[in-house]
Amino acid sequence: MSYFKEVEGDVAILAIGGVFKQCSLYTLDGYLFAQAAGGFVRLAADGSTSKSKMRIIKLVTDCDLYQDALGRLTVEQNDNTKPLVEDKRQLLIRAG
């Protein structure tokens, strides 16, 4: 049984050490993750991930994006999240 749920058709382009990788997007408890590095990495609103030196280059998603108090990306709006400000959203979801 998998707790991670794939967001069909949505991907992240991640980079680490000059190597770029296209990764499927997943959610867990509403938080956004990418399948990479032999597992899953959490994505943050500032373009960082839970893996050291790995960065978000681009997100390809139609999901509404929010961030919690720690800057973690989520697709669920609740009392602990706020909508991602437009300039941050534009940096993450760039025209390809």
Side-chain angles (χ1 to χ4, degrees), residues 37-50:
F40 296 90
V41 294
R42 187 187 304 260
L43 305 180
D46 66 358
S48 65
T49 71
S50 57

Side-chain angles (χ1 to χ4, degrees), residues 7-95:
V7 183
E8 288 292 325
D10 291 359
V11 298
I13 308 298
L14 305 177
I16 186 168
V19 177
F20 293 75
K21 184 174 182 179
Q22 180 175 311
C23 307
S24 296
L25 289 179
Y26 288 78
T27 61
L28 176 66
D29 297 331
Y31 287 99
L32 203 57
F33 290 80
Q35 188 173 22
F40 296 90
V41 294
R42 187 187 304 260
L43 305 180
D46 66 358
S48 65
T49 71
S50 57
K51 181 165 176 57
S52 178
K53 299 182 183 177
M54 181 178 279
R55 303 282 302 162
I56 302 169
I57 301 303
K58 180 178 181 177
L59 291 179
V60 179
T61 182
D62 290 326
C63 294
D64 291 330
L65 296 176
Y66 304 91
Q67 68 180 42
D68 68 4
L70 299 176
R72 299 176 295 193
L73 285 176
T74 179
V75 294
E76 293 181 359
Q77 185 176 21
N78 59 48
D79 292 340
N80 300 320
T81 63
K82 61 182 180 180
L84 198 62
V85 292
E86 192 59 30
D87 59 337
K88 280 190 181 181
R89 182 176 172 80
Q90 291 303 318
L91 285 175
L92 292 173
I93 303 176
R94 302 177 209 181

